[in-house]
Amino acid sequence: MLTEKELKEYCDNARKNYLAHFSIDCVVFGFHEGLMKVLLLEVKDEGECYLPGGFLLKKEPIEMAANRILKERTGLDEIFLQQFHVFGDPDRSKQHFDMYKDMIAPEENWFTNRFLTLGYYALVDFCETNPAPDQFAAKCFWSDLNDLPELKLDHALILKTALDALRLQLNYQPIGYNLMPKEFTMPELQKLYETILDKKLDRRNFQRRMLGFGILTRSEQPRKGGAHKAPYLYSFDLKNYEAALKEGFKGGW
Amino acid sequence: MLTEKELKEYCDNARKNYLAHFSIDCVVFGFHEGLMKVLLLEVKDEGECYLPGGFLLKKEPIEMAANRILKERTGLDEIFLQQFHVFGDPDRSKQHFDMYKDMIAPEENWFTNRFLTLGYYALVDFCETNPAPDQFAAKCFWSDLNDLPELKLDHALILKTALDALRLQLNYQPIGYNLMPKEFTMPELQKLYETILDKKLDRRNFQRRMLGFGILTRSEQPRKGGAHKAPYLYSFDLKNYEAALKEGFKGGW
DNA sequence: TTACAATTGTGTCCATATTACACTTTGATT
DNA sequence: AATCAAAGTGTAATATGGACACAATTGTAA
């Protein structure tokens, strides 16, 4: 919780620099070794959690803002974010921030304004990140998707909508670059799909299909050292991968 | 072009009632008998065209605003609109509205504010509509998609993005209810798909696939009176149609 | 050293979906 | 009655998706 002085400063500053009534929230899904997580912040002194979000500078392009906000809140940089939905219920933020109501007049309190929020989602390898909370958060952490804490505002809805969008994306776009290490095994890649979709896939059929997309290159040397048969290593054929991103996997019609 | 008094009144009114920096633009695709069109407005005295758009009332839900705006601008009511993208280039509206720059101070001119715009799209039967321009437009009309006039602002980009979203939608959702008459023939429905996708489809394969979705009911009586063989009439099985809307046609995985 | 367990690689069958393609039927027009 | 234009229908070849089993490799434990 902020002091009165801090709050007023923040609000003055916000009014000066940010575009009113508009915010951005980021749903960053993290994957590593079969675990799917989502990046959350925890409010200082309260224990409640929320998605990393923030406001748009008055002259800032929105894509840039989404990246800046994510970096400021969580330290994560250079993440490919994709917008997926605007959440615009007029009351979506009303029930919160009541705690400051005696400290500042409502019309001066930036946080009690109405905000439309634009949701962005991303998928990253959470082991290559160093989440760092900003000054307003007690911590920034990867939360298990199946064991989420209570989320502020409508952030649970935003998260669910993002997950639906991500799953839909699997059907017509490749996924996994920036997520898998440079070289990875087919079972490792399969784990990614299984984790996102939250269901088991057939090993053999997965491999056939994935190879059919033509976005993978198999390296000569299999991985050594593990217990059990040495798996082949694959890497993404970036040229074909990018092409598939644009074209989509199948037209359907 | 507005007079100075009209402009100032509009701006005062807008500041009082609308949420700043945010607008909504609607891309309404119209279909009828094999023709695909899009609903446009033409600026009075200028000839330039634009998509029907407007602003969000301070306490209005965005879905409601999209419908209200479409109705106010074009007279079209009860249209199912779907949001698809936010356009947020900080300069997207800068180059326009310069014509008023001597009439009003820039900081008082609502239109020179920065606006993020949320795009909605819809698909309707244009013969069941009665487009009516509002007071600011010279006319409201259905323009051929293949013969578009010059569009203001970034509306050409918005339109193209909407068309891509519509085509993507064809792959995983049924389409056509509210668009076809209650009863229609298979070739008529096929024409809809061909028009949206802008390519020919095979008659027999289209029919097989469409029937496979299980969203059509064939009526007992074929249509009479045309020259040539009487075609069967179909109607949408609304229950299955709605289910398919939610479920999607195929998961892919 | 040998047997075992765990993991990966690979191929085949079958059902279904997709594509390409041609003939028949119907109803109005002449 | 012949013709034309549009609509109905079927089939064969191919591709795809899903289910499934066995062989190969590697470390570990007996």
Side-chain angles (χ1 to χ4, degrees):
Chain A
M1 189 147 171
L2 302 175
T3 66
E4 182 168 340
K5 184 167 170 246
E6 283 170 341
L7 177 63
K8 285 189 172 165
E9 263 180 32
Y10 189 96
C11 290
D12 284 346
N13 187 54
R15 256 187 306 274
K16 197 187 300 172
N17 296 313
Y18 296 130
L19 212 66
H21 307 299
F22 188 78
S23 65
I24 287 174
D25 285 301
C26 302
V27 184
V28 184
F29 295 107
F31 174 84
H32 190 80
E33 290 183 355
L35 293 173
M36 178 91 152
K37 298 176 180 288
V38 64
L39 191 60
L40 296 179
L41 294 162
E42 184 180 315
V43 187
K44 266 183 182 164
D45 313 320
E46 285 184 68
E48 248 189 324
C49 294
Y50 57 100
L51 294 167
F55 307 108
L56 182 62
L57 293 169
K58 289 186 175 175
K59 300 199 168 176
E60 186 180 33
I62 47 175
E63 312 297 324
M64 201 178 293
N67 282 285
R68 174 186 54 78
I69 288 165
L70 185 61
K71 183 170 184 189
E72 286 177 3
R73 292 280 166 283
T74 71
L76 269 63
D77 201 4
E78 309 250 324
I79 305 291
F80 177 66
L81 289 157
Q82 222 157 337
Q83 63 162 268
F84 65 95
H85 198 78
V86 176
F87 299 85
D89 183 334
D91 298 322
R92 56 177 289 277
S93 53
K94 208 163 211 170
Q95 70 273 35
H96 293 269
F97 303 115
D98 278 354
M99 54 188 174
Y100 294 120
K101 68 177 186 297
D102 297 326
M103 210 182 259
I104 190 170
E107 65 273 13
E108 285 187 30
N109 185 350
W110 172 262
F111 294 105
T112 53
N113 285 337
R114 174 178 183 186
F115 284 99
L116 307 176
T117 201
L118 172 57
Y120 277 84
Y121 75 91
L123 188 49
V124 304
D125 181 344
F126 65 74
C127 275
E128 299 202 348
T129 62
N130 275 307
D134 63 12
Q135 53 174 323
F136 304 112
K139 57 177 180 175
C140 176
F141 65 106
W142 290 103
S143 166
D144 199 301
L145 259 186
N146 299 312
D147 186 26
L148 291 167
E150 178 125 355
L151 295 180
K152 281 187 96 82
L153 300 158
D154 56 354
H155 286 196
L157 171 65
I158 296 176
L159 204 167
K160 187 193 174 315
T161 309
L163 191 54
D164 288 343
L166 175 61
R167 284 176 179 159
L168 187 62
Q169 188 196 338
L170 280 199
N171 289 325
Y172 60 93
Q173 280 194 334
I175 214 166
Y177 188 73
N178 284 334
L179 223 115
M180 305 299 293
K182 251 182 202 157
E183 299 203 302
F184 48 88
T185 68
M186 196 59 80
E188 284 166 359
L189 183 60
Q190 180 176 342
K191 197 79 192 168
L192 167 64
Y193 277 76
E194 288 183 337
T195 307
I196 294 174
L197 295 167
D198 196 25
K199 68 173 165 186
K200 286 269 166 228
L201 301 173
D202 183 275
R203 223 157 40 91
R204 293 150 286 194
N205 296 335
F206 177 82
Q207 166 146 333
R208 179 160 19 128
R209 182 163 181 173
M210 195 52 68
L211 290 177
F213 292 150
I215 56 171
L216 294 179
T217 310
R218 186 161 99 172
S219 82
E220 304 283 323
Q221 296 303 323
R223 167 178 299 171
K224 295 282 186 177
H228 319 302
K229 177 164 183 175
Y232 284 105
L233 290 170
Y234 293 87
S235 56
F236 286 110
D237 176 333
L238 201 47
K239 187 158 155 276
N240 290 359
Y241 187 95
E242 300 281 2
L245 266 184
K246 278 184 196 150
E247 309 270 325
F249 276 144
K250 49 154 78 189
W253 283 97
Chain B
M1 185 144 173
L2 302 175
T3 64
E4 182 168 340
K5 186 169 168 245
E6 283 170 340
L7 176 62
K8 285 192 171 162
E9 264 179 30
Y10 188 96
C11 290
D12 285 344
N13 188 52
R15 256 188 303 275
K16 197 186 302 174
N17 296 313
Y18 296 130
L19 211 67
H21 306 300
F22 188 79
S23 65
I24 286 174
D25 285 301
C26 302
V27 184
V28 184
F29 295 107
F31 175 84
H32 191 80
E33 289 182 357
L35 295 173
M36 178 90 155
K37 296 176 181 288
V38 65
L39 191 60
L40 296 180
L41 294 161
E42 184 181 316
V43 186
K44 266 182 181 164
D45 315 319
E46 286 184 66
E48 248 189 326
C49 294
Y50 56 101
L51 295 167
F55 307 108
L56 181 63
L57 292 169
K58 289 188 175 175
K59 300 199 168 175
E60 188 180 31
I62 47 175
E63 312 296 324
M64 201 178 292
N67 282 284
R68 173 185 55 76
I69 287 165
L70 185 61
K71 184 171 185 189
E72 285 177 4
R73 291 281 165 283
T74 70
L76 270 63
D77 202 4
E78 309 249 325
I79 304 292
F80 176 67
L81 289 159
Q82 223 157 336
Q83 64 163 264
F84 65 96
H85 198 78
V86 175
F87 299 86
D89 184 334
D91 298 322
R92 56 177 289 277
S93 53
K94 209 162 209 170
Q95 70 273 38
H96 294 270
F97 303 117
D98 277 353
M99 56 189 171
Y100 293 120
K101 68 177 187 295
D102 297 326
M103 207 182 262
I104 190 170
E107 65 275 13
E108 285 186 31
N109 185 350
W110 173 264
F111 294 103
T112 53
N113 285 336
R114 174 180 183 185
F115 284 99
L116 308 177
T117 200
L118 172 58
Y120 277 84
Y121 76 92
L123 186 51
V124 306
D125 181 346
F126 65 74
C127 274
E128 298 201 349
T129 61
N130 275 307
D134 63 14
Q135 55 174 321
F136 305 111
K139 59 178 179 173
C140 176
F141 65 105
W142 289 103
S143 167
D144 199 301
L145 259 186
N146 299 313
D147 186 24
L148 290 168
E150 179 125 356
L151 295 180
K152 280 187 95 82
L153 300 158
D154 55 353
H155 286 195
L157 171 65
I158 295 177
L159 204 167
K160 187 193 174 311
T161 308
L163 190 55
D164 287 343
L166 174 62
R167 283 175 179 160
L168 187 62
Q169 189 195 337
L170 280 198
N171 289 325
Y172 60 92
Q173 279 194 333
I175 213 166
Y177 187 75
N178 285 332
L179 224 116
M180 306 300 292
K182 250 182 203 156
E183 299 204 300
F184 50 89
T185 68
M186 196 60 79
E188 285 166 359
L189 183 61
Q190 181 177 342
K191 197 81 191 165
L192 167 64
Y193 277 75
E194 289 183 336
T195 308
I196 294 175
L197 295 168
D198 196 26
K199 67 172 165 186
K200 287 268 165 231
L201 301 172
D202 182 274
R203 226 155 38 88
R204 293 151 286 194
N205 296 336
F206 177 83
Q207 166 147 330
R208 181 156 10 128
R209 182 164 181 169
M210 195 52 70
L211 290 177
F213 292 150
I215 57 171
L216 293 178
T217 311
R218 186 161 101 174
S219 82
E220 305 282 323
Q221 298 301 325
R223 167 179 296 173
K224 296 281 187 179
H228 321 300
K229 176 163 183 175
Y232 285 103
L233 289 170
Y234 293 86
S235 55
F236 286 109
D237 176 333
L238 201 47
K239 188 159 154 278
N240 289 359
Y241 187 94
E242 300 281 3
L245 266 184
K246 278 184 198 154
E247 309 271 325
F249 278 145
K250 51 154 79 189
W253 283 95

